Amino acid sequence: MGVRKSKIFEVYESDDFRKRKLYTANLVPGKKAYGENIAVQDGIEYREWDAGSSKLASLILNGCTNTGIRNGDVVLYLGSSTGTTVSHVSDIVGKEGFVFALDVAPRVMRDLVFMCEDRKNIAPILADANKPDSFKDRVMEADVLYQDIAQKNQVEIFLKNVKAFLKKGGYALLAVKARNIDVTRNPKDIFRQVRAELESHLTIIDFRTLDPYQRDHCMFVCKRQ
Amino acid sequence: MERKKDFEALYRKNLELTKKQVREAVNEDLLIIQAISSVGDIDKTANLLSKRLREWFALYNPELEHRVKEHEEFVKLVIAQNEKKADDSMGKSFEKEDFGQILSLAGHINSLYELRQQYFNYLEKILKKYCPSVLAITGPIIGAKLFGHAGSLRKLAVLPSSTIQLLGAEKALFRHLQTRGRAKSPKHGILSQHPVMGKVKFKEHGKAARVLADKISLAARIDYFKGQYAGDKLRKEIEEKFGKWE
Ligand SMILES: C[S@@+](CC[C@H](N)C(=O)[O-])C[C@H]1O[C@@H](n2cnc3c(N)ncnc32)[C@H](O)[C@@H]1O
C-alpha cells in the first residue's frame, strides 16, 4: 500500500481503493502525537488521520475539496481538546505557518502543552472562546478560524471571533453538534437555523454532514468578505 | 522573517502562561473529585474481587459463604479463620497451600476496605473545612459525589435546585427528553442514596429528593459565599419532615 497526494493541500491519502485513509506528513518525524499509525514512503513519514476521531478528516472524506487551510497559514483553533486534530493542522501549515490552539479545560491543556513542546508551531492557550478580549494579546490575525466547541451559543461565539481575529478573505470553519444546541430538535432543523445565522455575516462555500463518522454533526466552511 | 519572530515570541509567551494557568487551576475541588472517584473505583474493585473470593471459598466452606451475605463481613470472617466447618459440609478439605491462596486474596480485599475508610475520613475532613453546611446534610460520600457531578463548589452553588435533584440521573433525563416523555422522567439521581430515602414511603421519594435538593442548594450557596454555618438548622428542617437519620 502506498501514500499519494490528495486533492487537498498537504493532505495525503492511501492508494488502497477499498478503504480511503487520510494522512499528513509528520512535522516531527520519529514522534507520534497521540498513538496514530505511521506509514513511511520514500523516507517521508506520514501520520494516519482517522475520521472517527477528527471532524476535519470526516469533512474531507465526505467530499470537501477546499478546507481553506494551506501551508504557511496562521490558524486560530477554538476547542482544541488534547490536540488530535490540531496536530494534523500543524502538519498542514508546516514550519512556515502557525496554530493558536485554545481550550477552556485545564485537564486537556496538560496534554496539549506536552504536544506543543514537540511541535513548535502550536501555541497552547487556556481561555474561554466566549471572551475574545481575554486572549486577544495572545494571538495574531488569522488566515483561518476553526471552531469545534460544545456550547449552546456556539454560533454567537464563532461570529464574535471571526470579527475579532479573522482577516478579510479568510476562511472560517464551524463544526456543529446538533445535540449541543437542542437535544430534542431534529438535527436538520438545527443545521438550517445555523446556516441562516451564518449567512448574514459570511459566505458559505461548503456544508456537509459528517455521517457516518460522526452522527448528527455537520461542518460549515465559510469565507469572510 | 518578521512573522517568524512573532511566532516564536507568542509561542514562548503562551507556553509559559498556560503552564502557570494549569498549575493554578489545581484546587480543593479537584482533590475532592479525585478522592471520591477513587472511592468509586475501590467499591467496584472490592465488589468484583469479593465475588471471586466467594466462589473460591465456597469450594472449601459453602455453608459459611451462603450464610454471610455482606461482602465486608464475609472477608473479615475468612481472614479470622475461627469458623468451624459443619461435619456434613459440602466443602472439601483444603491443603494448606490451597487455602493460603484464598487467604491472600481476602487480605488484599480487606486492605481495599481500609483504604476506603481512609478516604472517607479524608473527605470528611476536607468537606468539613470547605463546605460544612453541605456536609451536615449529605455526609462525605454523597456530598463529594455531588461535587463530582457539578464540577466544583461554585458550580454546585449556582445550579438550580431542580438540577441538583437530578445530578447523577443525566442518562435517564436524556432518555426522557429524547423520547419526548415516553420514557419516565427521573425523580432523583445521587440523592436516591441519601439515608432519608430509606425513611420515607416510595411515593414520597420525589418529594424528599426535592426538599433535600433545596436545602443542599441553600447550603452550597452559604458555603461558597462563606456565610454563617447553617448545617444543623437545615438538617433539622429536613428531619422534621421525614425523620432523623444517622
Ligand atoms: C469535541 S471537543 C474538540 C475536539 C477537537 N476539535 C478535535 O477534533 O480533536 C470540544 C472542546 O471544546 C472545549 N470547549 C467547550 N467550551 C469552550 C469554550 N467556551 N472555550 C474554549 N473551549 C471550549 C471543551 O473543553 C472540549 O475540549
Side-chain angles (χ1 to χ4, degrees), chain A residues 153-179:
Chain A
N153 63 335
Q154 48 185 288
V155 180
E156 179 198 337
I157 297 176
F158 184 65
L159 292 171
K160 245 195 248 183
N161 281 282
V162 163
K163 201 160 161 234
F165 304 117
L166 184 65
K167 72 165 195 203
K168 298 245 154 62
Y171 285 84
L173 288 80
L174 176 67
V176 178
K177 179 179 178 185
R179 191 184 281 183

Side-chain angles (χ1 to χ4, degrees), chain B residues 18-86:
Chain B
T18 297
K19 280 184 174 180
K20 180 165 170 274
Q21 287 175 300
V22 170
R23 182 164 58 237
E24 286 170 357
V26 179
N27 58 16
E28 224 86 7
D29 291 316
L30 295 183
L31 294 181
I32 293 172
I33 288 168
Q34 290 302 326
I36 189 63
S37 304
S38 190
V39 167
D41 294 344
I42 290 171
D43 285 344
K44 274 197 215 116
T45 311
N47 192 38
L48 185 71
L49 292 176
S50 296
K51 282 188 193 153
R52 173 59 53 216
L53 181 73
R54 282 176 177 279
E55 286 295 321
W56 203 340
F57 184 83
L59 301 176
Y60 165 76
N61 185 349
E63 291 78 16
L64 176 64
E65 191 276 327
H66 185 71
R67 178 160 54 80
V68 184
K69 296 291 181 215
E70 213 273 317
H71 284 339
E72 190 168 353
E73 187 190 352
F74 175 71
V75 169
K76 298 218 147 75
L77 283 171
V78 170
I79 292 171
Q81 284 189 76
N82 47 22
E83 296 279 323
K84 272 256 151 23
K85 251 170 88 166

